[in-house]
Amino acid sequence: MDDLETLLAAGGSTALLAVRGREVVYARGFHAHRSSVASVRKSLIGILYGIAVAAGEIDLDATLGDLGIDDLTPLTPQEKQATVADLLKSRSGVYHPCVYGMEPGRPARGSHAPGTFWYYNNWDFNALGTIYRQQTGRTLAGAFQEYVAGPLQMQDFAVEDVFDVPGPQSRHPVYKMRLSGRDLARVGVLFLEGGRWEGRQVVPETWVAQSTRPLTDLGGGRGYGYLWWTAEANAPGDDLSTDWPVFYASGAGGQYIIVIEALGLVVVHRAADVDKGIGHAQMGRILRALLRIIA
């Protein structure tokens, strides 16, 4: 049976934090240090989408064609039929080169109609950044400060921690984010409490529920919602699974926000050096070792 301290000492982990009922029940490492959250950024930007959709600024049923979204190599008429909801579910069917693209395994263009096939697609995620800026008139950095960091009273966030990185592959830049572990824990608590923070409904409860349920069944008890992952209890297809269902935000190298609703628990793991972090299976071992101590 894995020992938690041994697992954390094995390398890669720089912070592990567990919060229950707004109380820290486990802490190890450097929780105020801001570093790249990698693909956790996608789940975080999803918060801004929930707020903008509720405000009527973004229509989930609007297509790329409706919104005038295109790229350096023009999108086909079929690709332009992808909706905002399709992008949020990573089911756009747009397999165009993108900044920070994942070339190996990318389907051929035109091989799947919008909405019919799930593929973890950075083109979708980058285009969501463009759509948000275009439809709201706000930068992602300014919006995150106003609608998330401010209301959640984040301790370490600075507006320059959200920034765009352009590239020659596409007209849609990748958006990058740096946050601390304790600020990420606030996001986990926000979602655990149905989008509320200290009595204020920061993000609609219906959006939280929709985002964190398996809108796409990935098999083996694993699913994908709106930019969040899900795992059933003891899901054989997800190395992160536990005796309880979980939903989580995940980024390369060991960046995680994990929520276990049945336990009222939020777990955050950080690896400041993404290239020397930990893998998904190791995170599962760490999580289960932690639960043996605090669950």
Side-chain angles (χ1 to χ4, degrees):
M1 187 174 292
D2 294 318
D3 173 74
L4 180 59
E5 293 303 318
T6 301
L7 290 169
L8 294 174
S13 301
T14 53
L16 181 66
L17 182 66
V19 178
R20 180 190 291 123
R22 299 291 185 95
E23 297 295 328
V24 175
V25 294
Y26 183 89
R28 184 184 189 276
F30 305 98
H31 304 292
H33 178 69
R34 291 156 31 222
S35 61
S36 170
V37 299
S39 287
V40 170
R41 67 190 175 91
K42 300 158 188 174
S43 306
L44 299 178
I45 293 302
I47 300 173
L48 298 181
Y49 261 81
I51 296 167
V53 168
E57 295 176 318
I58 296 177
D59 179 0
L60 292 179
D61 295 323
T63 67
L64 298 179
D66 295 334
L67 299 171
I69 298 297
D70 213 326
D71 216 324
L72 300 177
T73 300
L75 301 186
T76 66
Q78 174 177 283
E79 289 170 335
K80 288 183 179 181
Q81 291 306 303
T83 66
V84 174
D86 289 334
L87 271 65
L88 289 164
K89 292 184 284 188
S90 206
R91 300 177 69 95
S92 73
V94 180
Y95 308 126
H96 192 287
C98 61
V99 187
Y100 279 52
M102 296 164 283
E103 304 301 326
R106 187 174 66 206
R109 290 191 68 183
S111 57
H112 300 285
T116 65
F117 185 77
W118 184 89
Y119 169 69
Y120 191 72
N121 189 358
N122 270 344
W123 192 93
D124 292 7
F125 308 132
N126 295 350
L128 285 170
T130 297
I131 292 168
Y132 185 87
R133 299 182 202 93
Q134 173 182 296
Q135 297 303 109
T136 68
R138 295 186 289 270
T139 65
L140 294 178
F144 195 83
Q145 171 65 54
E146 180 178 356
Y147 294 107
V148 183
L152 268 56
Q153 302 163 319
M154 287 187 172
Q155 293 171 269
D156 309 304
F157 178 78
V159 72
E160 59 267 24
D161 290 332
V162 180
F163 54 97
D164 293 338
V165 178
Q169 305 91 339
S170 169
R171 65 172 59 170
H172 308 294
V174 63
Y175 50 88
K176 305 286 284 181
M177 301 185 73
R178 292 185 297 256
L179 274 87
S180 69
R182 59 188 182 181
D183 283 348
L184 289 178
R186 284 169 159 75
V187 174
V189 172
L190 176 73
F191 270 62
L192 177 65
E193 298 184 358
R196 292 179 297 279
W197 184 266
E198 297 188 349
R200 174 182 174 182
Q201 196 71 44
V202 175
V203 60
E205 185 173 10
T206 53
W207 183 263
V208 172
Q210 187 85 337
S211 299
T212 58
R213 70 181 180 88
L215 301 175
T216 298
D217 181 357
L218 301 179
R222 196 180 197 201
Y224 197 74
Y226 281 156
L227 307 175
W228 287 79
W229 302 89
T230 69
E232 298 172 1
N234 301 307
D238 195 328
D239 289 330
L240 197 70
S241 69
T242 74
D243 290 339
W244 301 271
V246 303
F247 64 84
Y248 60 95
S250 170
Q255 325 306 326
Y256 287 91
I257 307 170
I258 303 165
V259 180
I260 307 178
E261 292 181 283
L263 300 179
L265 188 69
V266 172
V267 177
V268 170
H269 181 275
R270 303 307 316 283
D273 187 339
V274 171
D275 295 328
K276 296 180 181 179
I278 66 167
H280 196 64
Q282 179 74 349
M283 184 66 235
R285 289 189 284 269
I286 289 171
L287 177 61
R288 290 185 291 274
L290 172 67
L291 291 177
R292 285 194 291 272
I293 296 171
I294 66 173

